[in-house]
Amino acid sequence: MNVLSFLIPITLIMGVVGLMAFFWSLRSGQYDDLSGDAERILFDGDDKPLPTTPRTDHKEQRS
């Protein structure tokens, strides 16, 4: 039973710390755009689409 006198305050302190971390994350905007992060992983804007027509030489286009 003496163990409970240590475990209950430690559990309460860990719960309060977790709750404070949760409210901090809410205020800092961690949950503002939930679907945007998931979509940015799938649709990366750096990729260029493949050309559909064969490329021509630049000298031929100028003349």
Side-chain angles (χ1 to χ4, degrees):
M1 293 304 274
N2 290 336
V3 175
L4 290 178
S5 63
F6 288 111
L7 292 180
I8 290 174
I10 290 172
T11 304
L12 291 174
I13 290 171
M14 289 176 64
V16 168
V17 169
L19 192 63
M20 289 172 54
F22 175 71
F23 284 123
W24 172 80
S25 67
L26 280 178
R27 287 186 182 182
S28 66
Q30 296 288 322
Y31 300 106
D32 287 347
D33 188 17
L34 294 177
S35 64
D37 292 334
E39 291 176 1
R40 276 192 288 271
I41 291 172
L42 296 175
F43 303 110
D44 190 15
D46 295 338
D47 294 337
K48 295 179 181 176
L50 295 174
T52 57
T53 58
R55 296 182 73 184
T56 59
D57 194 11
H58 292 288
K59 292 179 181 177
E60 293 176 2
Q61 289 180 350
R62 292 182 184 170
S63 59

